[in-house]
Amino acid sequence: MDAIRHLFRKRATLRPEQTRNRVAERKPTHCFIRITVQRAYDLPLREAQTELECIVKARFQGHDVSTSVFKGNSPSWNSHLVLPVQPPNQDWNPENLQKISDYLILDIFDTKIWEKSDGRSDKRKEERIWLGCVKIPFFTILTYSLDRLDGHFELEYDARPIGYVAHHPRKHDHKAAAAPIRSPLGALQFCVSLDPPLQPPPSSQGPVKERLDDAVLDARVLAWIKECKAPMHCSHRVYDALARCMKRDWVLATRYVSPCIPPPDAFDPNANIDVQMHQLCRFVSLIPFFEDRELEESKEGEVPTVWCTSKEFVVDMGAGDWEEHATLLCNFFLHLKVDAFLLFGTGDRSCPMLFCCVD
């Protein structure tokens, strides 16, 4: 049987097979982030019509490692990168691992080699032009510790580099047509896993009983959650009608959604509704982002998910995470008589997020 398995073993390396981690290490002494960089889509092209020569550089906690150079406008590296993980004070407890606020950053560079000879010596210079990056918080990687984080992620960049133009795929471009997503900013396909797997953070759902002082209201919330999970395709979803306020008490989440008057300088009241909505989106995006796990931890060591009111978000703290940004934008839209609502889901970094949607 061993000879038969060896005969039919996988030989192709174009789509490397990843080993899925199943059991978390109980007492780890070390850990590595393993990254498989596969390919990129819709990267900006050189105005000189020459091919790109791209590399991907992975950075985490002061360490970095790069792929080899791939020539072509649709680079396909299929490279394996490894980076070490260093918890605070070398403490590998699950509570301490959640304190790691570092991001895994994947940068894409276009490389250019300049060679010059003055008769006495040859000079060689390598120039790297940054085309964009993908940032993954370690908390997201830790959440998927028993599996792997895999997908296509849109690139982030402040401005298109000089000498490059946006990629516009042609109809006969079969490689571009096969891309899973179309993005004007470009996208990178890769997968990330932890070796050995670490203990993932506990579910934020927690116990659903006896969280409110009002027994009748608490029973109604429990009945609503049971009703939502009754369909077969909804049994695995997370439903909740309560949220923690700044005092760590459980309150109804609906109390945070209410029309809120925007600041006078945040939008033009004489403009049409579409312009006003875009102006308010920009205003909310300028408020700093601050995650809940950076707040003071609870006595049990868990990272609480705290909701702030619009006043606490803008006036008192001046920063917040997904809940505060989405709720404030929803309240602004409700003031404009726009049918807005909040939607819980998963973002493009595979972490729980809250979206503000309009009908």
Side-chain angles (χ1 to χ4, degrees):
M1 291 298 296
D2 293 338
I4 296 177
R5 293 193 187 98
H6 180 75
L7 179 63
F8 292 99
R9 73 186 187 279
K10 182 177 179 180
R11 297 182 175 87
T13 60
L14 295 179
R15 295 181 62 86
E17 184 177 355
Q18 294 286 322
T19 301
R20 292 180 177 261
N21 302 317
R22 295 297 182 183
V23 182
E25 186 74 18
R26 293 185 177 181
K27 296 182 179 180
T29 58
H30 64 279
C31 183
F32 297 93
I33 300 178
R34 298 193 176 274
I35 312 159
T36 300
V37 182
Q38 297 170 353
R39 60 176 305 179
Y41 305 94
D42 301 337
L43 296 179
L45 305 180
R46 296 179 182 177
E47 291 182 347
Q49 302 298 322
T50 56
E51 286 188 330
L52 298 174
E53 300 181 21
C54 295
I55 66 169
V56 174
K57 180 179 179 181
R59 297 182 286 139
F60 184 75
Q61 292 184 332
H63 301 272
D64 61 83
V65 62
S66 302
T67 65
S68 58
V69 178
F70 189 94
K71 294 184 179 181
N73 296 332
S74 297
S76 180
W77 296 276
N78 292 297
S79 299
H80 299 273
L81 307 178
V82 180
L83 289 170
V85 177
Q86 298 177 348
N89 302 322
Q90 293 299 316
D91 184 1
W92 293 91
N93 290 327
E95 296 81 6
N96 195 53
L97 292 173
Q98 298 179 42
K99 298 179 182 178
I100 301 178
S101 59
D102 301 272
Y103 282 72
L104 171 64
I105 303 178
L106 301 178
D107 299 291
I108 298 184
F109 294 94
D110 182 24
T111 61
K112 293 182 179 180
I113 305 298
W114 305 93
E115 296 181 351
K116 182 179 180 181
S117 177
D118 56 4
R120 293 178 297 178
S121 62
D122 296 332
K123 297 182 179 181
R124 187 176 185 271
K125 177 183 177 182
E126 180 181 359
E127 180 181 4
R128 292 186 176 183
I129 297 89
W130 186 70
L131 301 181
C133 70
V134 176
K135 298 180 181 179
I136 306 292
F138 180 78
F139 188 81
T140 300
I141 302 175
L142 185 63
T143 303
Y144 286 81
S145 176
L146 300 182
D147 197 351
R148 66 178 183 183
L149 181 64
D150 191 357
H152 307 79
F153 302 89
E154 190 176 61
L155 297 179
E156 302 177 10
Y157 65 84
D158 298 328
R160 185 174 294 112
I162 299 176
Y164 291 79
V165 296
H167 175 70
H168 298 288
R170 301 175 181 177
K171 294 182 179 180
H172 63 273
D173 190 349
H174 300 290
K175 292 184 178 180
I181 60 174
R182 294 260 63 88
S183 170
L185 305 179
L188 182 65
Q189 179 184 2
F190 61 90
C191 60
V192 181
S193 61
L194 293 178
D195 182 22
L198 303 177
Q199 185 66 36
S203 173
S204 59
Q205 178 73 4
V208 296
K209 295 182 179 180
E210 300 179 356
R211 291 183 293 177
L212 298 174
D213 295 335
D214 190 341
V216 176
L217 182 58
D218 190 77
R220 181 68 185 93
V221 170
L222 186 62
W224 177 81
I225 295 176
K226 185 178 180 180
E227 181 183 354
C228 292
K229 291 190 173 184
M232 183 72 67
H233 64 281
C234 299
S235 58
H236 66 285
R237 297 180 181 178
V238 178
Y239 292 94
D240 205 350
L242 304 180
R244 288 185 183 270
C245 64
M246 289 293 292
K247 297 180 180 180
R248 305 300 194 270
D249 295 330
W250 291 101
V251 296
L252 284 174
T254 53
R255 69 164 55 185
Y256 294 96
V257 181
S258 177
C260 180
I261 302 176
D265 299 334
F267 72 111
D268 183 7
N270 298 322
N272 61 60
I273 190 65
D274 292 336
V275 174
Q276 291 180 2
M277 294 175 64
H278 281 85
Q279 291 173 344
L280 292 176
C281 287
R282 174 168 175 76
F283 173 79
V284 175
S285 67
L286 296 177
I287 303 177
F289 188 87
F290 192 85
E291 294 193 42
D292 291 334
R293 66 171 179 268
E294 299 178 30
L295 298 173
E296 182 181 359
E297 294 182 352
S298 62
K299 296 181 181 179
E300 292 80 8
E302 299 178 357
V303 180
T305 300
V306 179
W307 280 39
C308 302
T309 63
S310 297
K311 177 182 178 298
E312 293 170 339
F313 173 40
V314 179
V315 179
D316 299 338
M317 298 184 60
D321 60 358
W322 299 281
E323 293 91 356
E324 286 73 33
H325 284 83
T327 305
L328 179 64
L329 184 61
C330 181
N331 293 340
F332 283 165
F333 287 169
L334 292 176
H335 172 74
L336 299 179
K337 308 300 181 183
V338 176
D339 190 7
F341 57 93
L342 297 177
L343 176 66
F344 292 84
T346 303
D348 59 354
R349 301 299 184 265
S350 298
C351 53
M353 297 183 69
L354 186 62
F355 303 89
C356 174
C357 302
V358 294
D359 189 359

